[in-house]
Amino acid sequence: MLNIPKLKNQDSPQFLLMAGPCAIEGRDMALRIAEQIVTITDRLQIPYIFKGSYRKANRTKIDSFTGIGDEKALKILQEVSQTFGIPTVTDIHESDEAAMAAEYVDVLQIPAFLCRQTELLAAAAATGKAVNVKKGQFLSGASMRFAVEKIQETNPAAPVLLTDRGNSFGYGDLIVDFRNIPEMRSFDVPVIMDCTHSLQQPNQASGVTGGKPKLIETIAKAAIAVGTDGLFIETHPNPAEAKSDGANMLPLDQLEALLERLVRVREAIL
């Protein structure tokens, strides 16, 4: 399993789970979500990384929610890690954010639109933290080997993960090409399937991204069946009230039953 500090259940045969809210909206909400997911993943022996963006830089409209303040959100992520003994992951958007975020989290995530940004990848690698690179919606899985090379050549000790989140399909939809999972696994790095962002419906006329959350389980089952190492799921107690990406998030009260079913799928293919 991944060499990430504080990662629980490293010898578990189960898939890795990255899960949490799209954005850090406040301390109490983050801790409440983390506590519920930790309880579930401990019982199911699923290695878990708490996910939360400290800032949302890629928004459709100028007045869209971007965050509660960088330092405030990063300190909440740090508190989640310290409270529950779990690693955390957050996005970075500019090279100078890498060192700042690395003081608080265990995994630095490169957004899909930025996966070709050499300086950003190098800055993340230079911190020595694990780097999770989202595959661009405009790229094949095979082309992601260059992102891996940029990180590994900058810092061979930095763990690398790749995450698929679908490919652009026309102007307002995405489609998942499951050939990308084995292609990216051939680079000898763990591959994660983003089961929520891959169901986005971007570029809507309203300026608010849509989604198809009813298909989260379908994407997750298919990804496990073709050998993904982990799943990425954004979840919220009430997605309709979420300040970011609520249209494609999984209601938190549905997560436990979903993971139980996914564990059985995983066990069936081992």
Side-chain angles (χ1 to χ4, degrees), residues 159-175:
V160 184
L161 305 87
L162 295 177
T163 296
D164 193 359
R165 48 99 73 234
N167 283 79
S168 296
F169 187 70
Y171 289 114
D173 209 351
L174 296 167
I175 190 167

Side-chain angles (χ1 to χ4, degrees), residues 15-213:
F15 50 85
L16 171 71
L17 177 67
M18 290 186 184
C22 177
I24 298 298
E25 299 177 11
R27 175 183 179 274
D28 291 345
M29 184 200 75
L31 290 169
R32 186 168 71 251
I33 292 174
E35 182 177 23
Q36 290 188 45
I37 301 179
V38 165
T39 299
I40 296 167
T41 53
D42 278 357
R43 181 175 67 82
L44 296 175
Q45 296 188 306
I46 297 173
Y48 173 49
I49 300 175
F50 178 86
K51 183 271 169 184
S53 296
Y54 74 91
R55 175 164 23 106
K56 302 301 295 183
N58 176 21
R59 301 288 85 192
T60 301
K61 298 194 297 183
I62 194 169
D63 60 351
S64 296
F65 173 81
T66 58
I68 61 175
D70 293 357
E71 186 176 13
K72 182 177 181 180
L74 286 167
K75 285 183 175 180
I76 290 171
L77 284 163
Q78 185 179 57
E79 184 177 357
V80 167
S81 179
Q82 293 172 345
T83 300
F84 300 106
I86 55 174
T88 56
V89 56
T90 198
D91 314 75
I92 58 172
H93 318 91
E94 302 282 351
S95 301
D96 59 4
E97 295 177 25
M100 174 186 69
E103 294 183 13
Y104 298 93
V105 302
D106 304 285
V107 185
L108 301 177
Q109 183 166 283
I110 309 300
F113 284 127
L114 302 177
C115 68
R116 287 171 49 90
Q117 299 297 101
T118 301
E119 289 187 2
L120 181 59
L121 292 166
T127 68
K129 295 298 177 103
V131 184
N132 179 35
V133 187
K134 291 282 193 79
K135 184 188 72 61
Q137 303 92 320
F138 44 87
L139 293 176
S140 68
S143 64
M144 290 301 291
R145 72 181 179 89
F146 301 110
V148 175
E149 289 173 357
K150 289 174 182 179
I151 294 167
Q152 293 179 336
E153 290 182 15
T154 300
N155 184 358
V160 184
L161 305 87
L162 295 177
T163 296
D164 193 359
R165 48 99 73 234
N167 283 79
S168 296
F169 187 70
Y171 289 114
D173 209 351
L174 296 167
I175 190 167
V176 177
D177 181 352
F178 286 99
R179 295 175 299 178
N180 286 326
I181 291 176
E183 280 199 326
M184 292 193 292
R185 290 188 85 233
S186 71
F187 309 144
D188 294 323
V189 300
V191 173
I192 313 299
M193 183 70 230
D194 185 338
C195 303
T196 46
H197 287 98
S198 60
L199 293 168
Q200 282 184 332
Q201 293 178 302
N203 307 317
Q204 299 299 300
S206 65
V208 178
T209 297
K212 300 178 180 178

